């Protein structure tokens, strides 16, 4: 585990606010995330998950552990007569995912280009633009349940999408960490 102390968050937020996190760790795999979560010395600290830092306005130092999600990868995991099922790691930059789909002729998210953030943050906000929302192409996501440490799957219905809203901003806020998102 790469645990750093007293890290400036200036390069990790689009407002460029120069505050610090007491502890900072970047994870690129589910196993790395689980190792961090199992660390007894860190269990009592407040946690903050960071994707691209585009929806974060820091106003003071964070006296906990900031976990930067950088899980990579985009792949087609299934195909049927109606859809391609494209799975991306939660740390993939959203616009990179849009470009990846466009380059392969996979239609449906092109209106969502240039939205800042990561694929893992997209369902939290139910991002949208030009009459299209993430929920229109969303299939499922995988997340780590912070109570059990286990990987869980949420389908579209379980995400309870609304206008710039999801269950991850209400009932599940602070209770799961998204690790991948699959679109259809």
């Amino acid at each position: 585990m790469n645990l750093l102390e007293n890290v400036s968050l200036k390069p990790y937020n689009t407002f460029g606010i120069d505050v610090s996190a007491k502890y900072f760790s970047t994870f690129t795999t589910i196993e790395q995330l689980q190792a961090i979560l199992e660390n007894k010395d860190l269990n009592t600290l407040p946690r903050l998950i960071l994707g691209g830092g585009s929806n974060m306005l820091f106003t003071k130092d964070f006296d906990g552990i900031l976990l930067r999600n950088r899980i990579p990868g985009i792949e087609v995991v299934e195909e049927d007569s109606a859809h391609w099922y494209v799975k991306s790691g939660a740390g993939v930059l959203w616009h990179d995912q849009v470009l990846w789909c466009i380059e392969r002729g996979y239609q449906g998210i092109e209106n969502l280009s240039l939205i800042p953030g990561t694929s893992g943050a997209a369902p939290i906000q139910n991002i949208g633009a030009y009459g299209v929302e993430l929920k229109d192409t969303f299939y499922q996501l995988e997340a780590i349940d912070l109570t059990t440490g286990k990987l869980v799957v949420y389908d579209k219905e379980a995400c309870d999408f609304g206008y710039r809203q999801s269950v991850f901003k209400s009932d599940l806020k602070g209770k799961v960490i998204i690790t991948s998102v699959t679109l259809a």
Side-chain angles (χ1 to χ4, degrees):
M1 162 178 46
N2 62 343
L3 184 64
L4 305 173
E5 291 186 45
N6 300 315
V7 174
S8 171
L9 300 179
K10 186 175 183 172
Y12 303 109
N13 71 92
T14 56
F15 288 104
I17 305 297
D18 194 12
V19 296
S20 296
K22 183 172 185 175
Y23 297 101
F24 181 95
S25 186
T26 297
F27 60 92
T28 59
T29 67
I30 292 170
E31 294 76 21
Q32 287 174 346
L33 173 59
Q34 288 171 322
I36 295 166
L37 296 174
E38 290 169 3
N39 185 314
K40 302 282 186 240
D41 296 330
L42 304 174
N43 279 349
T44 60
L45 294 174
R47 294 184 194 123
L48 180 61
I49 310 308
L50 186 67
S54 57
N55 250 0
M56 299 298 291
L57 177 59
F58 293 105
T59 58
K60 62 183 179 180
D61 290 346
F62 181 66
D63 195 31
I65 181 166
L66 189 138
L67 301 169
R68 187 166 183 239
N69 190 337
R70 303 306 290 161
I71 297 176
I74 306 173
E75 64 178 331
V76 175
V77 292
E78 190 179 332
E79 185 177 334
D80 62 28
S81 61
H83 299 99
W84 296 280
Y85 296 87
V86 178
K87 181 178 182 178
S88 65
V92 171
L93 294 177
W94 176 257
H95 185 64
D96 289 350
Q97 179 168 352
V98 173
L99 292 176
W100 190 93
C101 289
I102 289 171
E103 288 167 1
R104 287 156 181 80
Y106 304 154
Q107 303 159 348
I109 62 171
E110 53 279 351
N111 282 16
L112 303 178
S113 66
L114 297 174
I115 294 177
T118 59
S119 294
I124 295 170
Q125 182 76 5
N126 185 28
I127 61 171
Y130 306 106
V132 175
E133 292 181 311
L134 180 76
K135 70 176 182 163
D136 299 331
T137 58
F138 183 87
Y139 179 66
Q140 69 181 26
L141 66 77
E142 296 175 332
I144 294 291
D145 181 308
L146 294 175
T147 304
T148 66
K150 296 190 187 296
L151 194 65
V152 291
V153 177
Y154 294 91
D155 65 11
K156 186 176 185 174
E157 185 178 330
C159 293
D160 194 25
F161 290 121
Y163 181 76
R164 304 300 169 264
Q165 190 61 259
S166 75
V167 70
F168 307 105
K169 288 177 76 175
S170 58
D171 295 349
L172 291 178
K173 183 176 183 176
K175 296 179 180 175
V176 299
I177 298 175
I178 297 170
T179 58
S180 71
V181 176
T182 303
L183 305 177

